[in-house]
Amino acid sequence: MTRLLIIGGLAAELGQAARIAAARGARIGQVDGPAAALVQLRSEGADLVLCDLAHDIAWLMERLAAERIACPVIACGRNADAAAAVRAIQAGAREFLPLPPDAELIAAMLQAVSGEAEGPVHRDPMMGTLLARAEALARAEASILITGESGTGKEVLARYLHAHSRRARGPFVALNCAALPETLLESELFGHEKGAFSGAVAARKGKFEQADGGTLLLDEIGEMDPRLQAKLLRVIQEREVDRLGGTAPVKVDVRLLAATNRDLGAEVRAGRFREDLYFRLNVVALHIPPLRERPGDIGALAAHFARRFAEANGLPVRPLAPAAEAALLAHPWPGNVRELENTLHRAVLLAEGGWIGPEAIELTPLPPAAPGAAPPPASTAAAAAPAAPGGVAGLVGRRMEEVERDLILETLTHCLGNRTRAAEILGISIRTLRNKLHEYRAQGAPVPVAPGAGLPPGLPLVLPAGAGR
Ligand SMILES: Nc1ncnc2c1ncn2[C@@H]1O[C@H](COP(=O)(O)OP(=O)(O)OP(=O)(O)O)[C@@H](O)[C@H]1O
Ligand SMILES: [Mg+2]
C-alpha cells in the first residue's frame, strides 16, 4: 500500500487530492508544514509527499538530502503559480501537480511510485512459470532470494511477491545496500537515536521498523559489508533491532526479500558472504532470466512501455512497426528490461507519423568487446594490436589513471548511467565504482547518471503552460 504524506491543510483542494488518493488505496498522512513533515519522514517514512506550493519546498528538499531521506516530493498549486512551480522543480521536487487535482494524474503518480500496479508484464512461457511459482511462494513467510542480471525486474518481482502475500496491506520498503557507505547503511537499516553519531540530529526509525507488518527488500545484498552481515543475521534470528545509540531492542515483524545480481553461492565460497546468512535469506530462490533468454517478453514489454510513455507525455498511443519490432528482437539487451524501457521512452519521443518506425529505435551500442560490434581500427598502430579492439598501442604515452577514468566513464555511458551494470562489466565492486566516480566528479569530470536514478520512472511531467524545466 502506498504511503502518501500531504503537507498542507486538507480543507480545500489538497483535501480533494487526499480523498482521490485514498479512494485509490493509498494510506494518507497529513502534517501542517515541512518541519512536521521531516519529523514524520524520519520516524515513519513515506512513499510519496505532496507539498502545497505555499510551503518552503526548497528547505524541505535540502533537509531530505542532508539526512539522506529518499522520497519523491510533488509540488501542488494552482496553474497561476507558474514561477513558484518552476522554483519547486529546480529545488528538486519531482513533479508539479496542478490544482484542482485530476483523478487520473493522481492515479498515475501513485502507480509510478508503487511500481507496476498490474504486476510484471510478460508473455514468454518462461516468465509465466516463474510468476506462478512466485505467487504460490508469496503466501508463505519464508525469505526469498531473487537473482538476475541488473535491469531484469528483481524489484518488480519483489513488489509482486508483497502484493500477493498476506502482508499486502502492510508497507513495502526497499533498501539498496550498494547505494550507501557502510556506516550510513547501518543506520538506514536499524535506525538511530538522536545524537548516536555526529549528524544524527534527530532519532530515526530504520527500514526494519518502517517495514513492520510488511515486507523489506534488501537490494544488492551481495554488496553488504561482512560486519553488517553479522548484525543483519542477528536481527533475523532475534526478530528485533537495536537502534544505533539505543538502549532497548525493538521487536519487528518483517518478511525479508533479498536481491542480487551476483552469484551469492560463489561469494560464500570465496569467503565474502556469510554462509549462515546465505542460508537464512535463501530459503527459496527465484531466478529471473535475462531478457535475451525470454524473447517472447520483448514485444509485450515494448508495447507496454510505448503506451505508458505516450500517456505520460500526452502523445497518441502508436503501435510498433514490424521493422521496429524486428530490430528490438535482434538486440541482445545487455541492460535488460531497463534498457528496453529507456529505448522505448526515446522511441516514443522521436517517432513521427502513425506508428513507431525503426528510425525511432536507437539501440545502445554494445561494448567494444562484443564480437562484430567494434569498427575496424583506423590507424596502423592500433591494427598492430589485435588482442584489444581499438588497440592498446594507441594508449601508450597516457597515464594509467587517465585511461582507467576514460574506460570507467565510457562504460558507464554505455550502460546509460546504470552503475550496477557498469561495475559488473568492469569487474569491480559497486563500492569501488562509486568511490572512483566521486573522485572524478570532484575533479570536475561529467559523470553520466541513469535517467530518473533512484526514483520511479515514467511519472508524467506536468508543468503549467509556459513553464520550462
Ligand atoms: N516484467 C516487467 N514489467 C514491467 N516493467 C518491468 C518489468 N521488469 C522490469 N520492469 C521495469 O524495468 C526497470 C528495471 O526493473 P527493476 O528495477 O525491477 O530491475 P532490477 O533487476 O532490480 O535492476 P537492478 O539490478 O539494476 O537493481 C524498472 O523500471 C521496472 O519497472
Ligand atoms: Mg534493483
Side-chain angles (χ1 to χ4, degrees):
M1 183 188 290
T2 305
R3 300 163 302 160
L4 175 66
L5 178 62
I6 295 190
I7 309 179
L10 293 184
E13 287 162 335
L14 262 184
Q16 223 177 309
R19 280 190 295 280
I20 296 172
R24 302 266 172 173
R27 194 165 75 205
I28 312 293
Q30 186 269 339
V31 290
D32 289 328
L38 196 58
V39 172
Q40 176 81 8
L41 288 170
R42 275 181 200 135
S43 59
E44 301 297 329
D47 300 310
L48 184 66
V49 169
L50 279 190
C51 184
D52 193 320
L53 270 185
H55 294 295
D56 191 346
I57 295 183
W59 178 86
L60 178 65
M61 297 312 300
E62 240 168 64
R63 291 312 311 156
L64 293 182
E67 297 188 30
R68 290 176 181 263
I69 299 174
C71 176
V73 174
I74 297 196
C76 344
R78 295 211 141 252
N79 278 351
D81 305 334
V86 170
R87 272 199 307 279
I89 297 282
Q90 280 166 347
R94 178 86 173 130
E95 306 290 346
F96 176 74
L97 172 73
L99 295 177
D102 176 86
E104 287 308 308
L105 271 179
I106 291 188
M109 287 175 177
L110 291 175
Q111 179 173 338
V113 287
S114 68
E116 293 303 320
E118 328 87 78
V121 173
H122 63 103
R123 192 187 292 153
D124 199 287
M126 208 177 201
M127 208 55 187
T129 312
L130 178 68
L131 290 176
R133 186 168 136 85
E135 203 181 323
L137 292 171
R139 283 183 280 274
E141 285 288 302
S143 296
I144 298 180
L145 180 66
I146 303 170
T147 58
E149 288 181 10
S150 74
T152 46
K154 296 187 292 297
E155 180 158 348
V156 171
L157 181 61
R159 288 183 186 277
Y160 180 80
L161 286 164
H162 172 71
H164 287 83
S165 75
R166 284 191 293 245
R167 297 167 173 264
R169 296 191 66 79
F172 175 89
V173 176
L175 179 63
N176 183 341
C177 301
L180 295 172
E182 187 200 336
T183 46
L184 283 170
L185 180 58
E186 182 170 3
S187 71
E188 273 305 309
L189 274 172
F190 310 125
H192 60 72
E193 295 296 341
K194 183 174 177 174
F197 50 87
S198 65
V201 290
R204 182 160 159 201
K205 274 189 185 176
K207 297 290 182 195
F208 266 100
E209 284 181 74
Q210 289 181 22
D212 194 32
T215 307
L216 174 60
L217 167 66
L218 297 177
D219 205 351
E220 319 267 20
I221 188 85
E223 307 294 320
M224 190 180 275
D225 179 271
R227 198 182 62 85
L228 274 188
Q229 290 176 25
K231 285 207 159 188
L232 177 60
L233 183 68
R234 212 196 74 85
V235 171
I236 297 174
Q237 284 166 343
E238 310 290 329
R239 306 196 157 271
E240 55 187 33
V241 290
D242 288 300
R243 288 188 188 177
L244 268 70
T247 44
V250 184
K251 283 267 167 235
V252 284
D253 166 30
V254 167
R255 196 233 190 128
L256 264 191
L257 302 177
T260 181
N261 51 20
R262 294 193 179 213
D263 176 353
L264 262 200
E267 296 293 303
V268 169
R269 286 190 294 280
R272 284 188 294 266
F273 201 85
R274 289 182 70 110
E275 186 171 22
D276 43 10
L277 180 58
Y278 174 70
F279 286 118
R280 282 279 176 171
L281 296 174
N282 190 13
V283 177
V284 244
L286 288 174
H287 176 71
I288 311 182
L291 189 55
R292 61 188 167 277
E293 286 174 18
R294 42 180 167 117
D297 282 348
I298 294 177
L301 283 163
H304 164 77
F305 291 133
R307 163 177 295 276
R308 205 182 77 191
F309 288 118
E311 283 168 356
N313 290 283
L315 294 166
V317 178
R318 289 168 291 184
L320 280 149
E325 258 199 77
L328 295 178
L329 278 172
H331 189 66
W333 302 109
N336 292 298
V337 185
R338 181 175 289 110
E339 182 188 356
L340 179 65
E341 183 176 17
N342 291 332
T343 303
L344 263 296
H345 194 170
R346 280 194 298 267
V348 163
L349 300 177
L350 291 174
E352 285 171 6
W355 58 14
I356 300 175
E359 75 290 340
I361 307 285
E362 284 182 357
L363 295 166
T364 327
L366 298 175
S379 77
T380 43
V392 289
L395 302 176
V396 172
R398 298 187 58 197
R399 291 167 54 83
M400 190 75 146
E401 252 168 52
E402 237 179 68
V403 174
E404 183 183 86
R405 187 192 60 200
D406 289 356
L407 175 65
I408 288 178
L409 292 178
E410 198 52 34
T411 307
L412 192 59
T413 306
H414 267 297
C415 301
L416 303 168
N418 182 332
R419 295 179 180 198
T420 312
R421 185 72 187 131
E424 219 171 69
I425 291 172
L426 290 162
I428 59 180
S429 74
I430 298 188
R431 216 167 284 283
T432 308
L433 179 64
R434 198 190 46 234
N435 293 341
K436 299 253 180 213
L437 295 177
H438 194 74
E439 233 174 74
Y440 302 155
R441 201 175 284 120
Q443 294 163 0
V447 171
V449 288
L455 290 168
L459 213 55
L461 168 64
V462 191
L463 278 179
R469 192 167 202 176

